[in-house]
Amino acid sequence: MEEKKLCGKRYPHLFSPLRVGNVKMKNRIICAPTSPSMIDLNGHFTPEMTAYLEEKAKGGAGVVTYGEAIVHSATGKSHNKQLQLDAFGVRQGMTEAARLIHNAGSYANIQLSHGGMYGGLASVGGDVDKENIAYGPSDFEMPQGHVTEMPRELIYEIIESYGKAAKLCKETGFDMVQVHAAHGWLFSQFLSPVFNQRADEFGGSLENRARFFMLSLDAVRNAVGPLFPIEARISGDDFTDRGLGMDDCVKVAEMIDDKVDLINVSCGNHEDPDMFCRTHPSAFYKRGVNVYLAAEVKKHVKTPVACVGSLNDPAQMEEIIASGMADVVELGRASLADPYLPQKAYNDEADDITPCLRCYECFGATGELEMVKCAVNPIMGEQLQARYKRPLPEKKKKVLIVGGGPAGMEAAITTARRGHQVTLVEKTEKLGGNLHAAGAAYFKEDVQKLIKVLSSRVKKAGVKVILNTEVTTDYIKTFHPDALMVAIGSEELRPPIKGLDSDHVVMAIEAELHPEKLGQKVAIVGGGLVGAEGAVGFKHEGKECVIIEMKSEIAEEVNSFYRGGLMVEVEKSAACYLNTKVKEILSTGVLCEKDGEDIIIEADTVVCALGFKSPFEKVDALTDCVDEYYILGDCRKVGKIYDAINTGYYTGLRV
C-alpha cells in the first residue's frame, strides 16, 4: 500500500488532472497524432492499427490520438493509405479503436486532416492516385506539378465535411477531435502569405487567410456540441519563407482561443525536407527544442496549450508543466519506443524507459513496409500478435548466450523472463557491444541511455553475466548448455588496399571510441552511415574531415527521413568526394581515382569505414558444439540496431 501512495509523487505536475471540455485527463500526457500505414485499401482501420492504439492506452497516457484522418477523400488524401472518414464501412473499425482505447484506460482522440494540394501531388506520404487535380489556395507551380486554385464551392464543401467527420467521430465513441492546421497541409497552405494569393474572402489579410480554418472549426463545433473537446494543431513558427513566423502564429492562436479547448503548438513543414527534421526533431536537436513556441503561445491565450518536440524524459516534462511553459506534453516517437513511458514515470521507474533513438525507423517503415516498427521496441507494429502470449516453457533450460551486444542482451532478458537459467558471456569488460561506438558521438546520447536500460534489465532478469571471457568450443563443451545463442556481432571489413595496415590508419570503431587518436586532418574511407556519422562527430571534436565514397551518394542505405537531417550536418562537417575509388593509402593521405584521374587527398589520419561482415566461420564452429542453437544479430546478418533487438527478442520467445 505504501508503494502505491508514492506513485506519481516524483512528477506531481505531470500527473495532475486537467479538465478539457467534458473530459478530465488523469495526467498531462497525450500520445501525439501518429498514423502508420496499417490502413486497408478501403480507408479503414485494420486490426493491427487498433491493437497499436490499444497498447498506447495500456501504457498510461491520458489521451491517445490517431493522426491524419482525411475528411474529404476526393481531394485531401495526401498519403497512399489513410483513414478516410467519408469511406463506406469506416464506422466499425473506428468504434473498435475507441472501445479498445477506453477499455485500456485512456480517452480516444482523432485528428481531422486534409492534404490540400498534396491530395493531388506526390508527397512524403506517397504518390498513388495522384492523377487528380491538386487543389490549393491559388494557382501556382510546384516541382511535383500544377496546383489549381480551390473553388469557393469546394471550400464550403470541405468545411461541411469537417463537420460531418467530427460528428462521425463522436458517434463512433471518440472523446475528442483535433483539427490539423500545421505542417504544410490544407489550412497551413491557406494561412501562407506565399501560397495564398487569392483575391476573395479567403485571401489577403491574415484574418482572411485564416477564414477557411475558422469556419471549419465552427462546423466542427456545431457538429459535436459545446462541451465536446476540440483540439487544434497549429504552428508556432513555420520556419520557411512560404509560411508564417512566430508573431503571426500567435495571432492565429488568439483567433481560435474561444473556439477550441486545447491548442497543440507544433512547427515547420512536413513536406519541406529541410524542415521535416525540425518538425519531428532529429538527434541533432536538443530534446524539447520546440517547446518554447508553445510557451510563447501560452502567454497570449486562456486555452490550455500542449507542446511537442521529441520529449522523452519525464523530469523534463515535469519541468515544462511546473514552469508553466505548457499545460500538456504530447509524445510521438517516444510512445513508440516505449508505450509504457507514462506508467513507468508514474511508478517511479523512469530509469527503465526505453529511449527513442530518433532514428526514424518508424517513419521509414510506414513508407517502405506499410506498417510501423521501432529500432528499440520489437513489439511495435506486432501488437496484434503480442496479445496472444506464448505459453511458458514446460522445461527450464540452461542457456548460454555468447556476446553482450544489443542482440545478446535482449535475448538474455527475454529468455530469463521466460524462466530459463541464463548465462551471458562477453569477451570485453562491459556489456553493450558496438552500441558503445554507435553512441560515442555527441548527438548519440540516446544510444548510451539504451545501453544502461538494457544492462539494468539484464541484471533485474537474473541473468548471470561473465565479462572479460571469450567463449571457445572448449568453453561450450565444458559448460554443456541445453541451448546456445551466438550473438558475437560482426567484424570490420579490411579490403586489400595497399597501405591499409599503416600506423596512421584507424578502424572506424576505434576512431569513434577514441577520437583523440586522430590527427587534425582526417580522411574517412567509406561514406555509409558509419562514415557519415563519424565525420559529424569528428568535426565536433575539432577535426578537418573528408569523406571518400565510391557511390554517388553519402549514407545511401539510410532511410530518407534520418538521412535528411544527417546530410545537413555532413555537409557542414566534411568535404565529400563521391564516385571516388581509393587506390592506396599513402603516408601523406589517400591516393584516389576520380573521373579517370588520380588525385591525392591529404590526411594525417585515415579512418577505415568500409562496412562490416558476419564472422560465419566462428559462428559455425561454436554452433557445431550443440544440438540446439540460435544465431542472433550481426553474426546472423549484418544489420541495424533494429535487427539486433528484434532477433534477440523473438529468439528468446522461441526457447
Side-chain angles (χ1 to χ4, degrees), residues 316-502:
Q316 183 182 20
M317 300 174 204
E318 170 70 14
E319 175 59 25
I320 289 168
I321 306 299
S323 65
M325 295 183 74
D327 302 287
V328 173
V329 294
E330 301 215 10
L331 312 181
R333 287 168 290 168
S335 68
L336 274 67
D338 198 332
Y340 297 90
L341 184 157
Q343 186 182 100
K344 290 178 179 178
Y346 183 75
N347 291 331
D348 200 13
E349 297 171 349
D351 289 345
D352 191 52
I353 292 170
T354 308
C356 167
L357 304 185
R358 297 190 280 183
C359 61
Y360 300 97
E361 284 287 344
C362 48
F363 280 103
T366 296
E368 296 168 10
L369 307 176
E370 296 181 357
M371 62 169 294
V372 67
K373 68 179 184 180
C374 175
V376 294
N377 181 359
I379 298 174
M380 185 49 53
E382 303 290 337
Q383 284 91 343
L384 187 62
Q385 290 76 15
R387 285 180 183 169
Y388 307 102
K389 301 295 183 183
R390 300 198 186 195
L392 293 176
E394 296 180 3
K395 178 186 176 183
K396 308 301 182 184
K397 296 181 179 180
K398 181 183 179 184
V399 180
L400 174 63
I401 300 178
V402 186
M409 286 193 286
E410 186 65 39
I413 295 161
T414 306
T415 307
R417 286 176 176 174
R418 286 175 54 75
H420 296 296
Q421 179 187 335
V422 181
T423 300
L424 174 61
V425 183
E426 163 60 36
K427 68 178 181 179
T428 69
E429 74 282 0
K430 57 187 175 182
L431 298 177
N434 281 346
L435 288 179
H436 288 287
Y442 73 96
F443 57 93
K444 287 302 194 78
E445 180 184 358
D446 296 316
V447 177
Q448 295 293 338
K449 290 180 180 178
L450 178 63
I451 297 172
K452 292 179 181 178
V453 168
L454 292 176
S455 299
S456 176
R457 289 178 187 168
V458 166
K459 182 178 180 180
K460 290 177 182 177
V463 176
K464 181 179 180 181
V465 177
I466 300 174
L467 301 174
N468 298 304
T469 302
E470 184 165 5
V471 173
T472 62
T473 55
D474 288 339
Y475 188 101
I476 294 171
K477 291 173 183 177
T478 301
F479 190 94
H480 196 62
D482 297 316
L484 173 70
M485 295 185 181
V486 179
I488 58 176
S490 55
E491 299 173 346
E492 292 180 276
L493 284 171
R494 297 182 66 103
I497 298 173
K498 186 177 180 181
L500 197 63
D501 57 353
S502 301

Side-chain angles (χ1 to χ4, degrees), residues 556-567:
E556 181 185 60
E557 77 276 23
V558 182
N559 72 69
S560 61
F561 301 97
Y562 184 72
R563 188 174 182 275
L566 173 64
M567 288 308 300

Side-chain angles (χ1 to χ4, degrees), residues 7-316:
C7 288
K9 295 300 183 183
R10 186 176 294 276
Y11 313 109
H13 295 86
L14 186 62
F15 288 99
S16 62
L18 178 68
R19 170 65 65 182
V20 181
N22 61 11
V23 161
K24 185 176 183 180
M25 294 172 53
K26 63 186 177 183
N27 56 45
R28 304 302 183 94
I29 302 171
I30 293 180
C31 288
T34 54
S35 50
S37 296
M38 296 180 289
I39 302 294
D40 70 20
L41 297 181
N42 295 311
H44 299 170
F45 278 136
T46 62
E48 289 81 3
M49 187 74 248
T50 57
Y52 160 89
L53 295 170
E54 177 189 34
E55 190 186 29
K56 288 189 174 188
K58 288 180 178 178
V63 176
V64 173
T65 311
Y66 177 77
E68 292 182 345
I70 300 302
V71 301
H72 194 268
S73 300
T75 60
K77 187 168 170 280
S78 55
H79 293 37
N80 288 346
K81 292 166 66 181
Q82 285 183 293
L83 184 69
Q84 297 170 48
L85 297 178
D86 53 0
F88 177 75
V90 75
R91 287 175 177 266
Q92 178 183 343
M94 292 177 65
T95 303
E96 290 174 350
R99 285 180 176 178
L100 287 169
I101 292 169
H102 292 158
N103 294 344
S106 297
Y107 287 108
N109 191 13
I110 189 165
Q111 184 184 69
L112 311 181
S113 188
H114 185 292
M117 61 186 174
Y118 292 107
L121 298 178
S123 73
V124 169
D127 56 3
V128 174
D129 296 331
K130 295 301 181 184
E131 66 276 4
N132 298 330
I133 297 173
Y135 288 109
S138 306
D139 285 300
F140 53 87
E141 299 298 326
M142 290 288 286
Q144 302 94 322
H146 179 70
V147 177
T148 299
E149 180 170 300
M150 185 178 286
R152 291 179 73 257
E153 313 85 73
L154 181 55
I155 289 176
Y156 283 101
E157 181 179 320
I158 292 172
I159 290 169
E160 184 180 0
S161 76
Y162 270 92
K164 290 179 178 178
K167 183 173 183 288
L168 168 69
C169 294
K170 183 178 180 180
E171 290 175 348
T172 53
F174 281 84
D175 307 287
M176 301 172 59
V177 293
Q178 181 194 98
V179 179
H180 197 348
H183 297 179
W185 302 128
L186 176 66
F187 296 134
S188 180
Q189 294 163 24
F190 267 76
L191 286 167
S192 166
V194 176
F195 284 139
N196 189 341
Q197 297 293 315
R198 300 177 71 96
D200 60 10
E201 71 269 35
F202 296 102
S205 67
L206 178 61
E207 289 73 16
N208 281 357
R209 301 198 309 271
R211 190 181 304 278
F212 194 176
F213 179 32
M214 299 299 113
L215 291 176
S216 296
L217 287 175
D218 290 341
V220 170
R221 176 59 72 200
N222 290 336
V224 299
L227 297 179
F228 190 89
I230 300 173
E231 179 184 10
R233 167 167 273 188
I234 66 171
S235 287
D237 194 328
D238 284 336
F239 293 118
T240 72
D241 56 6
R242 294 179 179 272
L244 303 183
M246 181 189 289
D247 291 343
D248 280 338
C249 288
V250 168
K251 291 177 183 177
V252 173
E254 292 174 332
M255 291 180 196
I256 66 174
D257 199 12
D258 292 325
K259 295 179 179 290
V260 301
D261 304 281
L262 182 64
I263 300 175
N264 176 318
V265 183
S266 185
C267 71
N269 188 313
H270 192 280
E271 292 303 305
D272 186 326
D274 292 335
M275 273 295 100
F276 185 93
C277 293
R278 176 63 186 267
T279 302
H280 314 278
S282 72
F284 300 104
Y285 290 104
K286 66 179 183 179
R287 295 282 186 182
V289 63
N290 297 327
V291 173
Y292 79 97
L293 298 169
E296 183 60 30
V297 167
K298 186 167 169 55
K299 296 175 184 176
H300 299 270
V301 298
K302 62 181 183 298
T303 302
V305 172
C307 66
V308 294
S310 71
L311 299 170
N312 200 89
D313 179 6
Q316 183 182 20

